[in-house]
Amino acid sequence: MKGFSLAEALSHNARRKNTNPTRLIVSSFLAVILCGTLLLMLPVSNRDGQMLDMLDAMFTATSATCVTGLIRVGTATHWSGFGQAVILLLIQIGGLGFMTLASIASFLTHRTITLRERMVMSAGLNLTDNAGIVRLTRRVLYGTFAFEAAGAVILSCRFIPQFGFFKGFLMGVFHSVSAFCNAGFDLLGTPDAPFLSLVDYVGDPLVNLTIMALIVIGGLGFFVWGDIWDKRSFRHFRLPTKLVLVTTAALLLLGFGLTLLFEWNNPRTLGALSGPEKVLAAAFQSVTLRTAGYNTIDQAALSGPAQAVSCLLMLIGGSPGSTAGGIKTVAAAVLLLSTISALRGRITVSAFGRTITPRSIMNAVTMLIVGVVVSLSGACAIAYIEGAPLHQCLFEAVSAFGTVGLTMGLTPALHTPSCLILIVLMYLGRVGVLTLGVTVLMRHREP
């Protein structure tokens, strides 16, 4: 009897249960999180050889699968090599999507991809159109592994002299995958400072620029890659691609400029650094707010205005069809364009000579409202449970929903109810509020 690939088996199961592709994506993320939780609970995953508490295992598995980076235990100090490998696998699955990785078997066996599988792959990449999805998926896989390999080689040049060949190379691979998937997990913590992140490399151009490049490339979105590869001219790019590129550049410049402005003389962040180091640290801070989660400066030491800017940029997040979360750059651009059109008294919204559909505007408004309400509700609930300042709780909640992973140091000390709130926020931010809403609330999708 002819065997089925994993992707075909899942597709067949979805057809048998009359399950639409979006619902399959939602359930597949839950399944991956559950498997990751069970693996991380095993004694072999922990350095002390003991079973891990289920809450910490579930929190870590959710954070890795949803490529967030919020953690309750140090990745370098708590997990064994096996546990770190599990986390890295969860990051890769969460960044690319389960069905994207499952399609590798079909490509290797040259099996025809069915229409149902194409729909599932489109949903897994957060795309609304499955035209050319097989070719795009191939590019996503090739491009991902190429960028991650290049990043691993470059980072290994710094880590190998410091940690030795074998450990340095593995650290290069781990941080390259984590950065490209916008996960923010690191292996640089010590027993005295388990949540150190990249603070020791604040003035290192090689590490900073490599991580920044991987974050930006991973956060642009897979359809942007395909459009750039095919058109290779900004004038010929599709409207979503233009909006992504322009909005991403504007947000990066905004974050960079405001970080320099607010933190230049702050002795606990940029104030103690030299001029070039301040510029590099401000640039890294702006890039990592694109939902990466790495940090080279203490987030708890940021001034009030810088914290507000960070929350805004984290809420926006990355781009559609990327490894990032948040309400997405395109939604932010559509909202801004809609506001400008309303102020000018216009009844239509356009960009680059193209009209933006009312459905796109409605989706953007929905994402903004739900994102703000969910994040603020989560922050208020955590503040009530923990008795902590609201601004710290809001920072953690927005970081979770935007799948960013930056923290002011509150997450490791949270109680069980607050951790469960962050788990839900991370899941909503990665799977997508609209996707989850369509799955749960709509029995029949529009044609």
Side-chain angles (χ1 to χ4, degrees):
M1 180 182 294
K2 183 178 179 180
F4 289 106
S5 70
L6 182 57
E8 186 176 8
L10 287 172
S11 178
H12 175 74
N13 185 60
R15 187 186 302 111
R16 182 174 60 85
K17 294 183 178 181
N18 195 27
T19 303
N20 62 43
T22 306
R23 186 172 300 155
L24 180 58
I25 296 301
V26 171
S27 60
S28 68
F29 266 90
L30 288 175
V32 172
I33 291 173
L34 177 59
C35 292
T37 300
L38 296 176
L39 288 174
L40 292 178
M41 289 179 63
L42 297 176
V44 70
S45 296
N46 301 277
R47 289 189 180 275
D48 59 7
Q50 302 295 320
M51 286 281 291
L52 181 66
D53 177 74
M54 183 177 180
L55 177 64
D56 289 340
M58 180 183 295
F59 193 96
T60 303
T62 304
S63 183
T65 305
C66 297
V67 290
T68 304
L70 287 175
I71 54 175
R72 289 176 51 79
V73 295
T75 307
T77 57
H78 182 87
W79 303 107
S80 65
F82 178 81
Q84 293 169 2
V86 170
I87 292 174
L88 186 63
L89 179 60
L90 294 176
I91 291 172
Q92 191 73 88
I93 294 175
L96 292 181
F98 180 77
M99 293 305 299
T100 302
L101 291 177
S103 64
I104 294 177
S106 298
F107 295 150
L108 294 176
T109 58
H110 304 286
R111 187 182 61 82
T112 301
I113 308 295
T114 66
L115 177 61
R116 169 72 61 165
E117 290 173 328
R118 294 169 191 262
M119 295 172 63
V120 174
M121 290 160 63
S122 298
L125 294 177
N126 199 20
L127 303 177
T128 58
D129 186 6
N130 63 339
I133 186 62
V134 174
R135 181 178 62 175
L136 176 60
T137 301
R138 284 197 181 97
R139 289 179 176 178
V140 168
L141 293 171
Y142 294 153
T144 295
F145 296 140
F147 284 124
E148 289 176 350
V153 171
I154 297 174
L155 291 175
S156 295
C157 294
R158 173 65 72 242
F159 293 140
I160 288 177
Q162 185 176 356
F163 299 101
F165 181 82
F166 183 70
K167 183 178 179 180
F169 176 74
L170 292 181
M171 292 186 66
V173 172
F174 187 97
H175 291 92
S176 179
V177 174
S178 180
F180 181 83
C181 292
N182 283 212
F185 280 80
D186 69 89
L187 299 178
L188 299 170
T190 64
D192 295 330
F195 310 107
L196 191 61
S197 193
L198 298 176
V199 172
D200 287 344
Y201 298 88
V202 62
D204 192 317
L206 179 65
V207 173
N208 278 256
L209 295 177
T210 302
I211 296 291
M212 288 164 61
L214 290 169
I215 292 170
V216 172
I217 294 172
L220 282 178
F222 302 126
F223 73 89
V224 173
W225 298 2
D227 211 18
I228 293 176
W229 181 268
D230 291 334
K231 309 296 178 53
R232 307 190 184 187
S233 171
F234 186 86
R235 186 166 60 91
H236 297 107
F237 290 160
R238 293 180 297 172
L239 178 59
T241 301
K242 293 180 180 180
L243 289 177
V244 166
L245 294 176
V246 172
T247 306
T248 299
L251 292 174
L252 289 175
L253 290 175
L254 178 67
F256 171 69
L258 292 180
T259 300
L260 283 179
L261 175 64
F262 296 139
E263 300 299 311
W264 184 269
N265 293 318
N266 186 343
R268 299 176 60 192
T269 55
L270 301 185
L273 304 176
S274 65
E277 289 177 339
K278 289 181 179 181
V279 172
L280 187 61
F284 190 92
Q285 175 71 5
S286 180
V287 170
T288 198
L289 291 172
R290 309 266 28 86
T291 81
Y294 287 116
N295 65 280
T296 57
I297 58 177
D298 184 4
Q299 302 300 298
L302 292 173
S303 62
Q307 292 177 16
V309 171
S310 297
C311 286
L312 175 62
L313 295 179
M314 288 191 298
L315 181 65
I316 294 174
S319 302
S322 72
T323 59
I327 68 171
K328 310 300 184 185
T329 53
V330 171
V334 169
L335 290 169
L336 178 61
L337 292 171
S338 300
T339 302
I340 294 174
S341 295
L343 293 175
R344 291 181 175 179
R346 296 178 179 177
I347 60 175
T348 60
V349 181
S350 60
F352 301 103
R354 298 285 300 278
T355 300
I356 298 176
T357 64
R359 181 59 181 269
S360 297
I361 299 174
M362 181 178 67
N363 288 346
V365 172
T366 303
M367 286 294 294
L368 175 64
I369 294 176
V370 174
V372 171
V373 170
V374 168
S375 299
L376 185 58
S377 299
C380 291
I382 294 174
Y384 174 77
I385 295 170
E386 304 294 334
L390 180 61
H391 72 278
Q392 291 185 3
C393 299
L394 183 61
F395 192 96
E396 306 290 309
V398 173
S399 179
F401 176 78
T403 68
V404 181
L406 292 176
T407 177
M408 298 183 69
L410 186 62
T411 296
L414 295 178
H415 295 89
T416 299
S418 299
C419 290
L420 294 177
I421 291 172
L422 291 183
I423 287 174
V424 172
L425 289 175
M426 288 189 286
Y427 181 78
L428 286 175
R430 181 65 185 103
V431 175
V433 175
L434 281 179
T435 300
L436 191 61
V438 168
T439 302
V440 175
L441 301 178
M442 295 182 62
R443 291 181 179 273
H444 301 287
R445 301 182 64 181
E446 295 180 6

